[in-house]
Amino acid sequence: MASSSTAQRRLRVITGHLQKQPGDGHLSVAARECTAEASGSSPSRATPPEPVPRRRQEIMKWNGWGYNDSRFLYNKKGQAEFTGKRYRMSGLILPSLKDWMENTFGATLQHKSPATPSLDPSSVSPPNLNTLFLDDLIAAGLPTSHDPEDRVFRSHGHCLHEIFALREGKVGKVPDAVVWPSCHSDVEKIVELALKHNVCLIPFGGGTSVSSALECPLEETRSIVSLDTSQMNRILWIDEKNLTARVESGIIGQDLERQLNERGYCTGHEPDSMEFSSLGGWVATRASGMKKNIYGNIEDLIRPIPEYQKYGSVVFPSFQQGVACLREVARQRCAPASIRLMDNEQFQFGHALKPQVSSIFTSLLDGLKKFYITKFKGFDPHRLCVATLLFEGDRGKVLQHEKQVYDIAARFGGLAAGEDNGQRGYMLTFVIAYLRDLGMDYFVIGESFETSVPWDSDPVHVYEQVEHAAREEILANGGSLSHHHGVGKLRKQWMQESVSSVGLGMLRSVKDFLDPQNIFGNRNLL
């Protein structure tokens, strides 16, 4: 009986909510209490985070990136600055950004295209409500909304075309309602009711998708409900022997990391979006973070907090020498927690984001460093590139590891460029997304682009204006459809080429078996 019970439990995990009840053939689920389940593991004693507000638009932009109080702008003197108090860069003047933007893109401060400041509710189509479904949700004590602002906020991710349209005040198809479960059994109840009333559900985590995954399918005629997981934000238990944890899917990355740190652990998973993206989103996209070299991908977590952390940077005479160095680091299997190579254009961009120096001494020191690299060492400032480094682990091993990487870099003409540059370059990744909004204020557009390719193929050197052409080239050279952002709707046209018709058929079979009524009908991937 024990083995049979175990098999049934495993099967239920696989088949999820779609279990037919004996006799009636109906799909149903068994409710579970909204409490931590401790199976030989200790419940988390970390401080529970405050849930993300249901009205996220009160603290976050509805048509741009990040917090409402944080943004790049040009002040009355024409100087760039970053507002708010949340980041190390907040409140600082960036004296070089204006010139870089004008020289690189031909933008001018006189030619401005400001975003629509607030949503016009009349631009949002009336909701197609399934009243019986909503009545049942309310009877079950589940909070819902069909407010236009709540619906629009959950209708998009952060692809260029999504944000550009919202800045213009153009709203496409949006969910008809939003529901907020607070635990696993709430989700089971919502899915059961969606099956009963034939409602389409689109899960919503952090809303940071860059694959069009959150767009409502135009062909969907059923009522579409956004299932917002933000109130499911607890660590239920941590198994300290096996280094595993059970965590609710709606927890935001920064809250997860803080709670784990209080127990002496970390995820080691630091995507650029970790302030806003959710654990559920990471799992759904098979995410990789900035420190995947030693911590692995999302499925490899959790780990004890490292004893020692050290930043670093290396400057190379050319991008080709930098690539050769990183290839050798990979070949010797000695990559640090994070290693990122920036080409010269990225280097110039990073230099433009350097804050105004606070003292003559700092200015003089920066000048001496530049003189040493460009005049004494002969590096061409228009060709050099920089790698930023982050080492983590036991102190002795980190110092040994650091020496090994710098020795390899020296063989390819690299010069150590200091800890400050490495730390600054690493931290910049968390504010760079805000820059796209500044660019669009002055008719400059930008988009994220990611993939992975074998070392013997390097098909894309610069971002193409049309992603389609770049994707075709990457796939032709053995690259992947996505490295860590997922497929969504944006890239699903290449799925058959990527996994073959057989692979696609297998995925369709899994989908048909698990969700025959297409309740999760946002039409991503397939």
Side-chain angles (χ1 to χ4, degrees), residues 22 27 37 50 91 98 132 135 157 167 213 220 235 244 255 282 298 339 370 381 388 402 469-470 483 488 509 514 524:
L27 296 165
E37 295 181 18
E50 287 293 322
K98 175 177 173 289
L132 294 177
D135 288 345
R167 285 174 57 92
E220 182 57 71
I235 297 178
T244 57
D255 293 333
W282 297 351
I298 186 60
I339 179 168
K370 182 177 180 181
T388 58
E402 180 187 41
H483 180 254
S509 296
L514 292 177
N524 295 327

Side-chain angles (χ1 to χ4, degrees), residues 197-212:
H197 297 290
N198 195 24
V199 167
C200 176
L201 299 177
I202 296 183
F204 185 92
T208 58
S209 163
V210 287
S211 63
S212 302

Side-chain angles (χ1 to χ4, degrees), residues 469-526:
R471 288 282 168 206
E472 295 284 1
E473 184 69 10
I474 286 171
L475 292 172
N477 282 271
S480 68
L481 195 52
S482 173
H483 180 254
H484 58 272
H485 283 160
V487 175
K489 300 178 187 67
L490 191 65
R491 306 179 184 98
K492 73 175 185 178
Q493 62 182 300
W494 292 287
M495 272 296 290
Q496 181 163 323
E497 182 179 350
S498 182
V499 304
S500 81
S501 59
V502 173
L504 206 58
M506 291 174 64
L507 291 172
R508 286 198 181 101
S509 296
V510 172
K511 165 69 173 174
D512 291 343
F513 180 76
L514 292 177
D515 189 9
Q517 289 183 226
N518 194 30
I519 294 302
F520 291 93
N522 50 357
R523 293 169 171 80
N524 295 327
L525 196 67
L526 299 175

Side-chain angles (χ1 to χ4, degrees), residues 60-81:
M60 296 173 65
K61 299 183 185 75
W62 69 280
N63 61 354
W65 179 263
Y67 296 109
N68 286 326
D69 60 5
S70 302
R71 60 189 294 251
F72 286 96
L73 55 76
Y74 289 108
N75 59 29
K76 294 180 180 179
K77 296 181 180 180
Q79 299 171 314
E81 62 177 89

Side-chain angles (χ1 to χ4, degrees), residues 229-430:
T229 62
S230 60
Q231 309 307 294
M232 299 172 59
N233 64 339
R234 299 173 300 165
I235 297 178
L236 301 180
W237 51 255
I238 297 173
D239 185 332
E240 297 185 337
K241 291 183 179 180
N242 294 308
L243 288 181
T244 57
R246 187 174 189 190
V247 185
E248 291 180 320
S249 65
I251 194 168
I252 299 302
Q254 60 177 329
D255 293 333
L256 173 60
E257 194 70 10
R258 179 182 58 78
Q259 286 192 71
L260 286 174
N261 288 173
E262 291 177 9
R263 292 289 301 272
Y265 298 100
C266 68
T267 64
H269 187 72
E270 291 187 6
D272 297 354
S273 63
M274 76 171 296
E275 296 173 282
F276 311 110
S277 55
S278 69
L279 174 63
W282 297 351
V283 172
T285 56
R286 299 176 63 200
S288 287
M290 290 191 284
K291 298 191 290 189
K292 70 171 290 292
N293 294 332
I294 62 172
Y295 294 102
N297 297 323
I298 186 60
E299 66 271 16
D300 300 311
L301 314 178
I302 59 175
R303 302 288 184 88
I305 293 177
E307 169 195 330
Y308 190 68
Q309 183 182 75
K310 190 172 184 181
Y311 293 92
S313 60
V314 180
V315 59
F316 295 96
S318 69
F319 186 68
Q320 289 73 23
Q321 286 166 281
V323 171
C325 172
L326 264 66
R327 173 70 186 97
E328 183 61 20
V329 168
R331 192 185 71 81
Q332 293 193 26
R333 306 285 185 185
C334 63
S338 174
I339 179 168
R340 286 187 167 192
L341 183 66
M342 298 182 289
D343 62 19
N344 190 261
E345 288 182 339
Q346 290 174 299
F347 168 75
Q348 300 290 350
F349 170 55
H351 185 74
L353 292 173
K354 205 163 188 178
Q356 185 172 297
V357 295
S358 56
S359 69
I360 296 176
F361 175 76
T362 303
S363 178
L364 177 62
L365 192 60
D366 287 345
L368 289 173
K369 290 177 182 176
K370 182 177 180 181
F371 176 83
Y372 176 77
I373 291 173
T374 60
K375 302 298 183 183
F376 188 74
K377 286 294 185 179
F379 284 31
D380 183 346
H382 301 292
R383 293 189 68 238
L384 62 81
C385 73
V386 175
T388 58
L389 311 169
L390 172 61
F391 300 88
E392 289 187 351
D394 297 338
R395 188 176 188 279
K397 291 181 179 178
V398 163
L399 296 178
Q400 182 181 3
H401 194 183
E402 180 187 41
K403 182 180 185 304
Q404 182 181 8
V405 171
Y406 281 119
D407 285 347
I408 293 172
R411 288 166 45 195
F412 296 92
L415 294 174
E419 289 185 55
D420 289 346
N421 286 327
Q423 184 174 19
R424 186 173 155 274
Y426 189 86
M427 296 304 175
L428 272 178
T429 60
F430 296 110

Side-chain angles (χ1 to χ4, degrees), residues 126-143:
N128 170 28
L129 298 178
N130 186 315
T131 54
L132 294 177
F133 174 72
L134 293 177
D135 288 345
D136 280 352
L137 289 180
I138 294 169
L142 292 163

